[in-house]
Coordinates of all heavy atoms in Angstrom, one line a residue:
E270 N -35.5 5.4 18.4 CA -35.6 6.2 17.1 C -35.9 5.2 15.9 O -35.5 4.1 16.0 CB -34.3 7.0 16.9 CG -34.1 8.1 17.9 CD -33.2 7.6 19.1 OE1 -33.1 6.3 19.2 OE2 -32.7 8.4 19.8
S271 N -36.4 5.8 15.0 CA -36.7 4.9 13.8 C -35.4 4.4 13.1 O -34.4 5.2 13.1 CB -37.6 5.8 12.8 OG -37.9 5.0 11.6
F272 N -35.5 3.2 12.7 CA -34.3 2.7 12.0 C -34.2 3.3 10.6 O -35.1 3.5 9.9 CB -34.4 1.1 11.8 CG -34.0 0.4 13.0 CD1 -34.9 0.1 14.1 CD2 -32.7 -0.1 13.2 CE1 -34.5 -0.7 15.2 CE2 -32.3 -0.8 14.3 CZ -33.2 -1.0 15.3
K273 N -32.9 3.7 10.2 CA -32.6 4.2 8.9 C -31.5 3.4 8.2 O -30.5 3.1 8.9 CB -32.2 5.7 9.0 CG -33.4 6.6 9.5 CD -33.0 8.0 9.6 CE -34.1 8.8 10.1 NZ -33.8 10.3 10.3
R274 N -31.6 3.2 6.9 CA -30.6 2.5 6.2 C -29.3 3.4 6.0 O -29.5 4.5 5.6 CB -31.1 2.0 4.9 CG -30.2 0.9 4.2 CD -30.8 0.4 2.9 NE -30.6 1.4 1.9 CZ -30.4 1.0 0.6 NH1 -30.3 -0.3 0.2 NH2 -30.2 1.8 -0.3
R275 N -28.1 2.8 6.3 CA -26.8 3.5 6.2 C -25.8 2.6 5.6 O -25.9 1.4 5.8 CB -26.4 4.0 7.6 CG -27.3 5.1 8.2 CD -27.3 6.4 7.5 NE -28.2 7.5 8.1 CZ -29.3 7.8 7.6 NH1 -29.7 7.4 6.5 NH2 -30.0 8.9 8.2
W276 N -24.8 3.2 4.9 CA -23.7 2.5 4.3 C -22.6 2.5 5.3 O -22.1 3.6 5.8 CB -23.3 3.2 3.0 CG -22.1 2.4 2.4 CD1 -20.8 2.7 2.5 CD2 -22.2 1.2 1.6 NE1 -20.0 1.8 1.8 CE2 -20.9 0.9 1.2 CE3 -23.2 0.4 1.0 CZ2 -20.5 -0.2 0.4 CZ3 -23.0 -0.6 0.3 CH2 -21.6 -1.0 0.0
F277 N -22.1 1.3 5.7 CA -21.0 1.2 6.7 C -19.7 0.6 6.0 O -19.7 -0.1 5.2 CB -21.5 0.2 7.7 CG -22.5 0.7 8.6 CD1 -23.9 0.7 8.4 CD2 -22.2 1.2 9.9 CE1 -24.8 1.2 9.2 CE2 -23.1 1.8 10.8 CZ -24.5 1.7 10.4
I278 N -18.6 1.2 6.6 CA -17.3 0.8 6.2 C -16.5 0.4 7.4 O -16.5 1.3 8.3 CB -16.6 1.9 5.3 CG1 -17.2 2.2 4.1 CG2 -15.1 1.5 5.2 CD1 -16.6 3.3 3.3
L279 N -16.0 -0.7 7.5 CA -15.1 -1.1 8.7 C -13.6 -1.0 8.3 O -13.2 -1.8 7.5 CB -15.5 -2.4 9.2 CG -14.6 -3.0 10.4 CD1 -14.9 -2.1 11.5 CD2 -15.1 -4.4 10.7
D280 N -13.0 0.1 8.8 CA -11.6 0.3 8.5 C -10.8 -0.3 9.7 O -10.7 0.2 10.8 CB -11.3 1.8 8.4 CG -9.9 2.1 8.1 OD1 -9.0 1.1 8.1 OD2 -9.6 3.3 7.7
S281 N -10.3 -1.6 9.5 CA -9.6 -2.3 10.6 C -8.2 -1.6 11.0 O -7.9 -1.6 12.2 CB -9.3 -3.7 10.1 OG -8.5 -3.8 9.0
Q282 N -7.6 -1.0 10.1 CA -6.4 -0.3 10.5 C -6.6 0.8 11.5 O -5.9 1.0 12.4 CB -5.7 0.3 9.2 CG -4.3 0.8 9.5 CD -3.5 1.1 8.3 OE1 -3.2 0.2 7.6 NE2 -3.1 2.3 8.1
N283 N -7.7 1.6 11.2 CA -8.0 2.7 12.1 C -9.0 2.3 13.2 O -9.4 3.1 14.1 CB -8.5 3.9 11.4 CG -7.5 4.6 10.6 OD1 -6.3 4.4 10.8 ND2 -7.8 5.3 9.6
R284 N -9.4 1.1 13.2 CA -10.4 0.5 14.2 C -11.6 1.3 14.2 O -12.2 1.6 15.3 CB -9.7 0.5 15.6 CG -8.4 -0.2 15.7 CD -8.0 -0.4 17.2 NE -8.7 -1.4 17.9 CZ -8.3 -2.7 18.1 NH1 -7.0 -3.0 17.9 NH2 -9.0 -3.5 18.8
K285 N -12.1 1.8 13.1 CA -13.3 2.6 13.0 C -14.4 2.0 12.1 O -14.1 1.4 11.0 CB -13.0 4.0 12.6 CG -12.2 4.8 13.7 CD -12.0 6.3 13.2 CE -11.3 7.0 14.5 NZ -10.9 8.4 14.0
L286 N -15.7 2.1 12.6 CA -16.8 1.7 11.8 C -17.4 3.0 11.4 O -18.1 3.7 12.2 CB -17.8 0.8 12.6 CG -19.0 0.4 11.9 CD1 -18.7 -0.5 10.8 CD2 -20.0 -0.3 12.9
L287 N -17.3 3.4 10.1 CA -17.8 4.7 9.6 C -19.2 4.4 9.0 O -19.3 3.3 8.4 CB -16.8 5.1 8.5 CG -15.4 5.4 8.9 CD1 -14.5 5.6 7.7 CD2 -15.3 6.6 9.8
Y288 N -20.1 5.3 9.1 CA -21.3 5.2 8.4 C -21.7 6.4 7.6 O -21.4 7.6 8.0 CB -22.4 4.7 9.4 CG -22.7 5.7 10.5 CD1 -23.7 6.7 10.5 CD2 -22.0 5.4 11.7 CE1 -24.0 7.4 11.6 CE2 -22.3 6.2 12.8 CZ -23.2 7.3 12.8 OH -23.4 8.1 13.9
F289 N -22.4 6.2 6.5 CA -22.7 7.2 5.5 C -24.2 7.1 5.1 O -24.8 5.9 5.1 CB -21.9 7.1 4.2 CG -20.4 7.1 4.4 CD1 -19.6 5.9 5.0 CD2 -19.6 8.2 4.1 CE1 -18.3 6.0 5.1 CE2 -18.2 8.2 4.3 CZ -17.6 7.1 4.8
K290 N -24.8 8.2 4.6 CA -26.1 8.0 4.2 C -26.2 7.1 2.9 O -27.1 6.3 2.8 CB -26.7 9.4 3.8 CG -28.2 9.4 3.5 CD -28.7 10.8 3.3 CE -30.2 10.8 3.0 NZ -30.7 12.2 2.9
G291 N -25.2 7.2 2.0 CA -25.3 6.4 0.8 C -23.9 5.9 0.5 O -22.9 6.4 1.0
H292 N -23.8 4.9 -0.5 CA -22.5 4.2 -0.6 C -21.5 5.0 -1.3 O -20.3 4.7 -1.4 CB -22.7 2.9 -1.3 CG -23.2 2.9 -2.7 ND1 -24.4 3.4 -3.1 CD2 -22.5 2.7 -3.9 CE1 -24.6 3.4 -4.4 NE2 -23.4 2.9 -4.9
L293 N -21.9 6.1 -2.1 CA -21.0 7.0 -2.7 C -21.0 8.4 -2.1 O -20.6 9.4 -2.8 CB -21.4 7.1 -4.2 CG -21.1 5.8 -5.0 CD1 -21.4 6.0 -6.6 CD2 -19.6 5.4 -5.0
D294 N -21.3 8.6 -0.9 CA -21.3 9.8 -0.2 C -19.9 10.3 0.0 O -18.9 9.5 0.2 CB -22.0 9.8 1.1 CG -23.5 9.9 1.0 OD1 -24.0 9.8 -0.1 OD2 -24.1 10.1 2.0
A295 N -19.7 11.7 -0.1 CA -18.4 12.2 0.1 C -17.9 12.3 1.5 O -16.7 12.2 1.8 CB -18.3 13.6 -0.5
E296 N -18.9 12.5 2.5 CA -18.6 12.6 3.8 C -19.3 11.7 4.8 O -20.5 11.4 4.4 CB -18.7 14.0 4.4 CG -17.8 15.1 3.8 CD -18.0 16.4 4.4 OE1 -18.9 16.5 5.2 OE2 -17.2 17.3 4.0
E297 N -18.7 11.2 5.8 CA -19.4 10.2 6.7 C -20.3 11.0 7.7 O -20.1 12.2 7.9 CB -18.5 9.4 7.6 CG -18.1 9.9 8.9 CD -17.1 11.1 9.0 OE1 -16.8 11.6 7.8 OE2 -16.8 11.5 10.1
L298 N -21.4 10.3 8.2 CA -22.3 10.8 9.2 C -21.7 10.7 10.6 O -22.0 11.5 11.5 CB -23.6 10.3 9.1 CG -24.4 10.4 7.8 CD1 -25.7 9.6 7.7 CD2 -24.7 11.9 7.6
G299 N -20.9 9.7 10.8 CA -20.4 9.3 12.1 C -19.4 8.2 12.0 O -19.2 7.6 11.0
A300 N -18.6 8.1 13.1 CA -17.6 7.0 13.2 C -17.7 6.4 14.6 O -17.8 7.1 15.6 CB -16.2 7.5 12.9
I301 N -17.5 5.1 14.6 CA -17.6 4.4 16.0 C -16.2 3.7 16.1 O -15.8 2.9 15.3 CB -18.7 3.3 16.0 CG1 -20.1 4.0 15.7 CG2 -18.7 2.6 17.3 CD1 -21.1 2.9 15.3
F302 N -15.5 4.0 17.2 CA -14.2 3.4 17.5 C -14.5 2.0 18.0 O -15.3 1.8 18.8 CB -13.4 4.3 18.4 CG -12.0 3.8 18.7 CD1 -11.0 4.0 17.9 CD2 -11.8 3.0 19.8 CE1 -9.8 3.5 18.1 CE2 -10.5 2.5 20.1 CZ -9.5 2.8 19.2
I303 N -13.7 1.0 17.5 CA -13.8 -0.4 18.0 C -12.6 -0.7 18.7 O -11.5 -0.9 18.1 CB -14.0 -1.3 16.8 CG1 -15.2 -0.9 15.9 CG2 -14.2 -2.7 17.3 CD1 -16.5 -0.8 16.6

Side-chain angles (χ1 to χ4, degrees):
E270 298 88 346
S271 180
F272 278 87
K273 296 179 180 179
R274 194 175 78 145
R275 296 289 183 252
W276 179 265
F277 287 82
I278 296 176
L279 180 58
D280 185 347
S281 61
Q282 183 167 300
N283 288 342
R284 308 188 73 109
K285 287 184 177 179
L286 181 64
L287 305 164
Y288 56 95
F289 303 77
K290 187 174 182 179
H292 69 288
L293 288 179
D294 277 12
E296 291 184 356
E297 97 286 0
L298 297 175
I301 304 164
F302 183 82
I303 308 295

